[in-house]
Structures are given as structure tokens and as C-alpha cells.
Amino acid sequence: MQTHTSHRIVIVGGGAGGLELATQLGRRLARRGKAHVTLVDRNATHIWKPMLHEVAAGSLDPYIHQVQYAAQARWNAFHFEQGDFVGIDRAARTIRLAPLVFSDSGEDIALLPEREIAYDTLVLAIGSTTNFFNVEGAEQHALALDTVADAERFRRLLISALVRAPAQAEGNARPLVRVAIIGAGATGVELAAELRTTASELRDFGVHKLDPWQDVTITVIEGNPRILPALPERVSVATARLLSELGVSMITGDPVAKVEESVIRTQGGQYIPTDLTVWTAGIKGPAVLGTLDGLEVTRGNQIAVHQTLQSKSDPNIFAFGDCAACPWPAIGRNVPPRAQAAHQQATFLAKALPRHIAGGSLPIFQYRDLGSLISIGQVTAVGNLMGGGAGKSVFLEGFLARMMYVSLYRMHVVALTGVTHALLDALAQRLRKTSVPRIKLH
Ligand SMILES: Cc1cc2nc3c(=O)[nH]c(=O)nc-3n(C[C@H](O)[C@H](O)[C@H](O)COP(=O)(O)OP(=O)(O)OC[C@H]3O[C@@H](n4cnc5c(N)ncnc54)[C@H](O)[C@@H]3O)c2cc1C
């Protein structure tokens, strides 16, 4: 256990929110000796989760865009500890990490034993996992998109399905690869749009021999009456038009009843044959949150927090991002599980926590909905931006919308590395694109 010299802030989860917070607190507090900041994550590297559908489609290489926690920690004066967070002892103010294991050719090699880390202030930012809503067969037969490993698995399965299809076609039947995406929120829709380009690019490079438009079918299935049910109708209508132009089929208003290995059955009796099924229909808090020494969680297994982001059960434990249920009184709901919310809350806590450890009163977090942008492939996007006065939103579509969509990620990079590095990084990515295929080919 570390020696206790100054206030110990432990942040668990280095995702869209947690890594920004650790970086800001490292610079503001740890560098000046005002606190000891530790970030814990189960992985050694960070990737911004909203890019996972691009990883799944092969249009983004996670190894190029990843941030190495150890390097980020060294450059920003915080400490990084790799491990799977499995428990809290609130009285002793310690968290518990599972043994760190390295798997090599199916063999597990123990690197570190179970450990405890002491804290004075604990911040939980461990994100969310896929919610299959107990739909029969969904967990067994549908792929989730929670991690880089999930996204890479989907990408490899897609390529192998495309390559194998001609050999598997029966008799004179056309070879077919049928992809079904269950859930037409932002993730499902963005993945569907990316996949059409993926199929075409892989064909252009000779990876497979199918007709990318005729032989690769992409179907999005949504239980609500329209795709993107959480967004304004105009955004939903424009997105549906763009998806149709990309040859994506949409089934709406018919919830999925059962997922089998190669077929999806809906409550309305539809029967959708599939070779690859992806589930993007909802999220919930990770299971560990329900086991944390009496910390109150909601039905969706998120930590119940006040608007200060302090947990309702313990003022020294904060939670934010997808893993927290934070009230949004203006709308009468909780703050939505989105990267922009995690970013705003990280910025808020970077200012609030120094006050907290100095014994001052805490401010109240006010979520500002800046609107939503949905990327449709690599050149266009659709969405609404707030700011039209009296809570009105402005509709956007096209290249400008796509640029604004990309700027969300750029803001994350700025928060991690500063403006100069973020600009150089953007330039480096652009230059790199001139010498590599747009899609990962293997
Ligand atoms: C494909 C996709 C597209 C999306 N697109 C958008 C978008 O366009 N706009 C938008 O606003 N939002 C989008 N989102 C949602 C957005 O990604 C999340 O809201 C955001 O990442 C939440 O940030 P977070 O910090 O709470 O959690 P995350 O970014 O998920 O980070 C959680 C971190 O905790 C770590 N962790 C988890 N469990 C443990 C554990 N037990 N022990 C140790 N570490 C742990 C993980 O490794 C991870 O690093 C998208 C999500 C997906 C999947």
C-alpha cells in the first residue's frame, strides 16, 4: 500500500471522462504537490469509445489512436495502476483490484497479486456495458461493441465471412453475407453506414470477391417506431434517407423477441436470416457496481449521485459518466450516457475536487446539451446543435456536420494533450492517411 503523504485521489476508469479528469488533476494538483492522483484501469491503453464502430468497420486503427496510460501518467504527474477494480471497503477507504494476469497462448501468467489501494477521495468512472434486456439468445449469438477487443472481433468475423461466402454458397445461389444490427441508436446507425464503405473498399483491394452492394446486406432493427428514437424527428428522417441511399434496410416498430445463431425473430413475427448479428440496443452499469459495500445503485445499475456528483451513499465517493445516474432537473431525467456528458463532468470535477479536498462547499453540475451529431460514413454527418435560442436546435447535414462530429474527438485529444499536440496529431493522422488504405485489410 502507498505511504500517505497528501490527499489521495483515486480515479477508477480511464475512459472518455476518467482519463481527462486524471490528466487535469495531475496538472492542477499532483504537479504542485497538493494531492496524490492515481488512475486505475483494467487496460494498459485508452481508446475513445465513440470511435469503436470505426474500429469494428476497419476505418480506424486502434493501435494508432490509442493513448498509453503509463505515458500519459508520467507526462501529467499522476500515477497509473493497471488492474480490474472488484471491490471497496468504505470504512477502511480502500479499493480492491483483482490479480493482474497476462494470457499467453491460452496460458495465464500472474503478473501481480490482488492489491488494495487507499484513497481519501474516490471517483468511479468505469463506463457501461451492453444491456441485452434478457432477450432470449441475445448474449450468446449477438456481438456487443463495448471494447476494442469486441470491435476487432467483429471486424475479423466480417472479413472471414466475406472471404468464405463464395465457397459456402449452395448450388447456383449468390454468395451472401447478411449483417444485422439490433438497436438503431447512434452506435447502430453509425456502424451500419460505415459497413457499406468497408465492404466496397475490401472488394477494391481484392480481399473478397463479392458484389459489395448486392451480396452484402445490412439490416438495422429497432423496436421503437423510428430510428434514432432519442433524437429529433428531423434528424431521424434525414438519417433514414441517407441509410437507404447506402442500401441499408431498416425494420422499425418491431422489437426483437429472440436471437438464434443465424436468424433473428421479432415480436411481430418477422424472421431475419443473418450471418453476423451485433447488439447495440442499450447499456447498463457494469455488474461490479451492484456489489460495492452498500453503495446505492439504480435499476440500470448506475451509481446514484447528487448533482455534485457525490454518491448518495458516501460523500467521499464520486461517480460520473456512463456509470453514474446524475439528475438533470431541467428535463426531469438523468444526464444521458454520452461522451459529451462525461467530458463536461470531468471538466466540472477538475475544478470541484480541489475545493472538496480544501474543505470548501461543492458546486452543482449543470449538464448542457450541445446537440447530437450522427456520422454517416467518412464524409457526411447529420444532427442538431443546440443554441438556436429558447432551447431551440439547429439542423445540420453534410460535410460541415461531419467536421463538427470529428471535432468532438479533437476536443478529447485537446483535453489530454493540449492544443499544439492535438493539432500536430491531427496533421500526422492526415499525412498517414495518404500512405495507407482507408480500411484495415486483414
Ligand atoms: C460505438 C459507440 C459510439 C458512440 N458514439 C457517441 C457519440 O457520437 N457521441 C457521444 O456523446 N457518445 C457516444 N458514445 C457513448 C460514449 O462512448 C460514452 O458515453 C462515453 O465513453 C462514456 O464515458 P465514460 O468515461 O463514462 O466511460 P468509458 O469511456 O466507457 O470508459 C470506462 C473506462 O473504465 C474502464 N473500466 C471499466 N470497468 C473497469 C473495472 N472494473 N476496472 C478497471 N477499469 C474498468 C474501461 O477500460 C474504460 O477505460 C458512443 C458509444 C459507443 C460504444
Side-chain angles (χ1 to χ4, degrees), residues 326-362:
C326 172
W328 185 14
I331 303 292
R333 287 202 307 255
N334 286 332
V335 172
R338 293 166 65 181
Q340 61 166 294
H343 170 73
Q344 288 179 29
Q345 291 176 331
T347 309
F348 166 86
L349 282 176
K351 293 187 185 130
L353 287 181
R355 282 164 70 167
H356 173 69
I357 67 175
S361 63
L362 281 167

Coordinates of all heavy atoms in Angstrom, one line a residue, residues 326-362:
C326 N -27.0 10.8 -12.8 CA -26.9 12.1 -12.2 C -28.2 12.9 -12.7 O -28.5 12.9 -13.9 CB -25.7 12.8 -12.8 SG -25.6 14.6 -12.4
P327 N -28.9 13.5 -11.7 CA -30.1 14.2 -12.1 C -29.9 15.3 -13.1 O -28.9 16.0 -13.0 CB -30.7 14.8 -10.8 CG -29.9 14.1 -9.7 CD -28.6 13.6 -10.3
W328 N -30.9 15.5 -14.0 CA -30.8 16.6 -15.0 C -32.2 17.3 -14.8 O -33.1 17.1 -15.5 CB -30.7 16.1 -16.4 CG -30.5 17.1 -17.5 CD1 -30.3 18.4 -17.3 CD2 -30.6 16.9 -18.9 NE1 -30.2 19.0 -18.6 CE2 -30.4 18.1 -19.5 CE3 -30.8 15.7 -19.7 CZ2 -30.4 18.2 -20.9 CZ3 -30.9 15.8 -21.0 CH2 -30.6 17.1 -21.7
P329 N -32.3 18.2 -13.7 CA -33.6 18.7 -13.3 C -34.4 19.4 -14.5 O -35.6 19.4 -14.6 CB -33.3 19.6 -12.2 CG -32.0 19.2 -11.7 CD -31.3 18.7 -12.9
A330 N -33.6 20.2 -15.3 CA -34.3 21.0 -16.4 C -35.2 20.1 -17.3 O -36.2 20.6 -17.8 CB -33.2 21.7 -17.2
I331 N -34.8 18.8 -17.4 CA -35.5 18.0 -18.3 C -36.3 16.9 -17.6 O -37.2 16.2 -18.1 CB -34.5 17.2 -19.3 CG1 -33.7 18.3 -20.1 CG2 -35.2 16.3 -20.3 CD1 -34.5 19.1 -21.1
G332 N -36.0 16.8 -16.3 CA -36.7 15.8 -15.5 C -36.2 14.4 -15.7 O -36.9 13.4 -15.4
R333 N -35.0 14.2 -16.2 CA -34.4 12.9 -16.4 C -33.0 12.9 -15.9 O -32.6 13.9 -15.3 CB -34.4 12.6 -17.9 CG -35.7 12.3 -18.6 CD -35.4 11.5 -19.9 NE -34.5 12.2 -20.8 CZ -34.8 12.8 -21.9 NH1 -36.0 12.9 -22.2 NH2 -33.9 13.4 -22.7
N334 N -32.3 11.8 -16.1 CA -30.9 11.8 -15.7 C -30.1 12.2 -16.9 O -30.5 12.2 -18.1 CB -30.5 10.4 -15.3 CG -31.0 10.0 -13.9 OD1 -31.2 10.9 -13.1 ND2 -31.2 8.7 -13.7
V335 N -28.9 12.7 -16.6 CA -27.9 13.1 -17.7 C -27.7 11.9 -18.6 O -27.5 10.8 -18.0 CB -26.6 13.6 -17.0 CG1 -25.5 13.8 -18.1 CG2 -26.8 14.8 -16.2
P336 N -27.8 12.0 -19.9 CA -27.7 10.9 -20.8 C -26.2 10.3 -20.8 O -25.3 11.0 -20.6 CB -28.0 11.4 -22.1 CG -27.8 12.9 -22.1 CD -28.0 13.3 -20.6
P337 N -26.1 9.0 -21.1 CA -24.8 8.4 -21.1 C -24.1 8.7 -22.4 O -24.1 7.9 -23.4 CB -25.1 6.9 -21.0 CG -26.5 6.7 -21.6 CD -27.2 8.0 -21.3
R338 N -23.4 9.8 -22.4 CA -22.8 10.3 -23.7 C -21.4 10.8 -23.4 O -21.1 11.3 -22.3 CB -23.6 11.3 -24.4 CG -24.9 10.7 -24.8 CD -25.9 11.7 -25.2 NE -25.5 12.5 -26.3 CZ -26.1 13.5 -26.9 NH1 -27.3 13.8 -26.4 NH2 -25.7 14.1 -27.9
A339 N -20.5 10.8 -24.4 CA -19.2 11.3 -24.3 C -19.2 12.8 -23.9 O -18.3 13.2 -23.1 CB -18.4 11.1 -25.5
Q340 N -20.1 13.5 -24.4 CA -20.1 15.0 -24.1 C -20.5 15.2 -22.6 O -20.0 16.1 -22.0 CB -21.0 15.8 -25.0 CG -22.4 15.5 -25.0 CD -23.3 16.5 -25.7 OE1 -23.4 17.7 -25.2 NE2 -23.9 16.2 -26.8
A341 N -21.3 14.3 -22.1 CA -21.6 14.4 -20.6 C -20.4 14.1 -19.8 O -20.1 14.7 -18.8 CB -22.8 13.5 -20.3
A342 N -19.7 13.0 -20.2 CA -18.5 12.6 -19.4 C -17.5 13.7 -19.5 O -16.8 14.0 -18.5 CB -18.0 11.3 -20.0
H343 N -17.3 14.3 -20.7 CA -16.4 15.4 -20.8 C -16.7 16.6 -19.9 O -15.9 17.1 -19.2 CB -16.3 15.8 -22.3 CG -15.6 17.0 -22.6 ND1 -14.2 17.1 -22.6 CD2 -16.0 18.3 -22.9 CE1 -13.8 18.3 -22.8 NE2 -14.9 19.1 -23.0
Q344 N -18.0 17.0 -20.0 CA -18.4 18.1 -19.1 C -18.3 17.8 -17.6 O -17.8 18.7 -16.9 CB -19.9 18.4 -19.4 CG -20.1 19.1 -20.8 CD -21.6 19.4 -21.0 OE1 -22.4 19.6 -20.1 NE2 -22.0 19.4 -22.3
Q345 N -18.6 16.6 -17.3 CA -18.4 16.2 -15.8 C -17.0 16.2 -15.4 O -16.6 16.5 -14.3 CB -19.2 14.9 -15.6 CG -20.7 15.0 -15.7 CD -21.4 13.7 -15.5 OE1 -20.9 12.7 -15.8 NE2 -22.7 13.8 -15.1
A346 N -16.1 15.7 -16.3 CA -14.7 15.7 -16.0 C -14.2 17.1 -15.8 O -13.4 17.4 -14.8 CB -13.9 15.0 -17.1
T347 N -14.6 18.0 -16.6 CA -14.2 19.4 -16.5 C -14.7 20.0 -15.2 O -14.0 20.7 -14.5 CB -14.7 20.2 -17.7 OG1 -14.3 19.5 -18.9 CG2 -14.2 21.6 -17.8
F348 N -15.9 19.6 -14.9 CA -16.5 20.1 -13.6 C -15.8 19.6 -12.4 O -15.4 20.4 -11.5 CB -18.0 19.6 -13.6 CG -18.7 19.7 -12.3 CD1 -19.3 20.9 -11.9 CD2 -18.7 18.7 -11.4 CE1 -19.9 21.0 -10.6 CE2 -19.3 18.8 -10.1 CZ -19.9 20.0 -9.8
L349 N -15.5 18.3 -12.4 CA -14.8 17.7 -11.2 C -13.3 18.2 -11.1 O -12.8 18.3 -10.0 CB -14.8 16.2 -11.3 CG -16.1 15.5 -10.9 CD1 -16.0 14.0 -11.1 CD2 -16.5 15.8 -9.5
A350 N -12.7 18.5 -12.3 CA -11.3 19.0 -12.2 C -11.3 20.4 -11.4 O -10.3 20.7 -10.8 CB -10.8 19.2 -13.6
K351 N -12.4 21.1 -11.4 CA -12.5 22.3 -10.6 C -13.1 22.1 -9.3 O -12.7 22.7 -8.3 CB -13.4 23.4 -11.4 CG -12.7 23.8 -12.7 CD -13.5 24.9 -13.3 CE -13.0 25.3 -14.7 NZ -14.0 25.4 -15.7
A352 N -14.0 21.2 -9.2 CA -14.7 20.9 -7.9 C -13.9 20.2 -6.9 O -13.9 20.5 -5.7 CB -16.1 20.2 -8.1
L353 N -13.1 19.2 -7.3 CA -12.4 18.4 -6.4 C -11.3 19.1 -5.6 O -11.2 18.9 -4.4 CB -11.8 17.1 -7.1 CG -12.8 16.1 -7.4 CD1 -12.2 14.8 -8.1 CD2 -13.6 15.6 -6.2
P354 N -10.6 20.1 -6.2 CA -9.7 20.9 -5.4 C -10.4 21.6 -4.3 O -9.9 21.7 -3.2 CB -9.1 21.9 -6.4 CG -9.2 21.1 -7.7 CD -10.4 20.3 -7.7
R355 N -11.6 22.1 -4.5 CA -12.4 22.7 -3.5 C -12.8 21.7 -2.4 O -12.8 22.0 -1.2 CB -13.7 23.3 -4.1 CG -13.4 24.7 -4.8 CD -14.4 25.1 -5.7 NE -15.6 25.6 -5.0 CZ -16.6 26.3 -5.6 NH1 -16.5 26.6 -6.9 NH2 -17.7 26.6 -4.9
H356 N -13.2 20.5 -2.9 CA -13.6 19.5 -1.9 C -12.5 19.1 -1.0 O -12.7 19.0 0.2 CB -14.1 18.2 -2.7 CG -14.3 17.0 -1.9 ND1 -15.4 16.9 -1.1 CD2 -13.7 15.9 -1.8 CE1 -15.4 15.8 -0.5 NE2 -14.4 15.1 -0.9
I357 N -11.3 18.9 -1.5 CA -10.2 18.5 -0.6 C -9.7 19.6 0.3 O -9.1 19.4 1.3 CB -9.0 17.8 -1.4 CG1 -8.3 18.8 -2.3 CG2 -9.5 16.6 -2.2 CD1 -7.0 18.1 -2.9
A358 N -10.0 20.9 -0.2 CA -9.6 22.0 0.7 C -10.7 22.3 1.7 O -10.7 23.2 2.5 CB -9.4 23.2 -0.2
G359 N -11.8 21.4 1.7 CA -12.9 21.6 2.7 C -13.9 22.5 2.3 O -14.8 22.9 3.2
G360 N -13.9 23.1 1.1 CA -14.9 24.0 0.7 C -16.2 23.3 0.2 O -16.3 22.1 0.1
S361 N -17.3 24.2 0.0 CA -18.5 23.6 -0.5 C -18.4 23.2 -2.0 O -17.7 23.8 -2.7 CB -19.7 24.5 -0.2 OG -19.5 25.7 -1.0
L362 N -19.3 22.3 -2.4 CA -19.2 21.8 -3.8 C -20.2 22.5 -4.7 O -21.3 22.7 -4.3 CB -19.5 20.3 -3.8 CG -18.3 19.4 -3.4 CD1 -18.8 18.0 -3.1 CD2 -17.2 19.4 -4.5

